[in-house]
Amino acid sequence: ELKKEFIFKDRIVNLANKFMKTIIEKENGKNLVFVGIHARRGDRIQKWKHKAFGSTVGSFEGKFFNEAMDTFRSRYNKGHQKVVFVPTSDDYFWVKKHLVNKNDTYFSREMVKETRKALPNFAEIGKMWHDWNLAVKGAISFGTDLAILSLCNHTVVDYGTFGLWSGLMAGGKIVLPSGYSSSI
């Protein structure tokens, strides 16, 4: 139902479909279970850490994501079936560094050249509401990531509406950490 109401532009859909097709081809005909991952790192994490001294925010996400990935691996890697992970983030280098890739992880930034555009920096994020040029900076990357995540079977997110929307659009299981609502 949600996918009927929230429709991506054709360019975004084409990039997302091409990305997924490339993974399917690389995996040689295996029955794939796609798990989207969204790690929100950028604009809010430092404020939340500062606001809630001793907060769990920002301190265990790597472990959380890796444990969730291992759970999906043990549940879905059987015979000709394989789970693959599609991590996205506003901090590509963080997910690349912290997620354990067991030849089952594909990054949109590496495979879709259009997503390698300059993203807004922290100072620009605060000004987006007033400057249209900043509001669309990085839009192709964000839109493509959301479209890719919506094509997955399941979703793992830490916090934030981007990840939650991607999980709702994808359907399937949405895996979230516990304890965030009281610390943010």
Side-chain angles (χ1 to χ4, degrees):
E1 188 71 29
L2 183 60
K3 285 186 177 185
K4 292 178 185 174
E5 298 294 324
F6 191 90
I7 300 169
F8 294 100
K9 293 189 178 225
D10 289 343
R11 180 171 184 217
I12 300 289
V13 170
N14 291 337
L15 291 171
N17 286 333
K18 182 180 175 185
F19 173 79
M20 299 301 259
K21 183 180 178 187
T22 302
I23 295 171
I24 292 166
E25 289 169 357
K26 286 185 178 205
E27 292 294 338
N28 269 337
K30 291 180 181 159
N31 181 23
L32 299 179
V33 176
F34 288 90
V35 177
I37 296 174
H38 185 261
R40 183 174 180 187
R41 304 297 305 159
D43 62 326
R44 300 297 302 171
I45 198 162
Q46 293 305 322
K47 289 181 182 181
W48 284 330
K49 281 181 169 181
H50 180 71
K51 176 182 168 189
F53 183 73
S55 165
T56 59
V57 174
S59 59
F60 72 93
E61 285 89 349
K63 182 178 179 182
F64 161 72
F65 286 122
N66 286 307
E67 286 181 6
M69 291 168 75
D70 284 341
T71 299
F72 276 104
R73 286 180 183 115
S74 66
R75 186 170 293 164
Y76 291 106
N77 284 345
K78 295 178 170 88
H80 288 297
Q81 181 172 281
K82 179 180 179 182
V83 66
V84 294
F85 300 97
V86 181
T88 64
S89 179
D90 52 358
D91 187 345
Y92 161 77
F93 298 104
W94 186 91
V95 293
K96 185 75 174 172
K97 177 181 176 183
H98 288 89
L99 300 187
V100 176
N101 183 352
K102 297 181 179 179
N103 291 327
D104 59 2
T105 307
Y106 296 89
F107 298 90
S108 61
R109 181 166 175 167
E110 293 174 0
M111 296 172 63
V112 183
K113 68 178 171 117
E114 290 84 353
T115 64
R116 294 183 214 132
K117 305 284 185 200
L119 299 176
N121 62 39
F122 293 129
E124 292 171 328
I125 289 170
K127 298 175 185 175
M128 281 183 166
W129 295 103
H130 307 290
D131 185 340
W132 175 253
N133 291 323
L134 290 177
V136 297
K137 186 175 182 181
I140 189 76
S141 175
F142 300 139
T144 304
D145 282 351
L146 188 58
I148 287 169
L149 292 172
S150 77
L151 295 173
C152 292
N153 303 105
H154 306 289
T155 311
V156 180
V157 298
D158 52 4
Y159 58 93
T161 55
F162 189 95
L164 182 59
W165 273 102
S166 69
L168 293 171
M169 292 175 68
K173 293 177 178 42
I174 301 174
V175 178
L176 304 150
S178 62
Y180 267 15
S181 61
S182 62
S183 63
I184 297 178

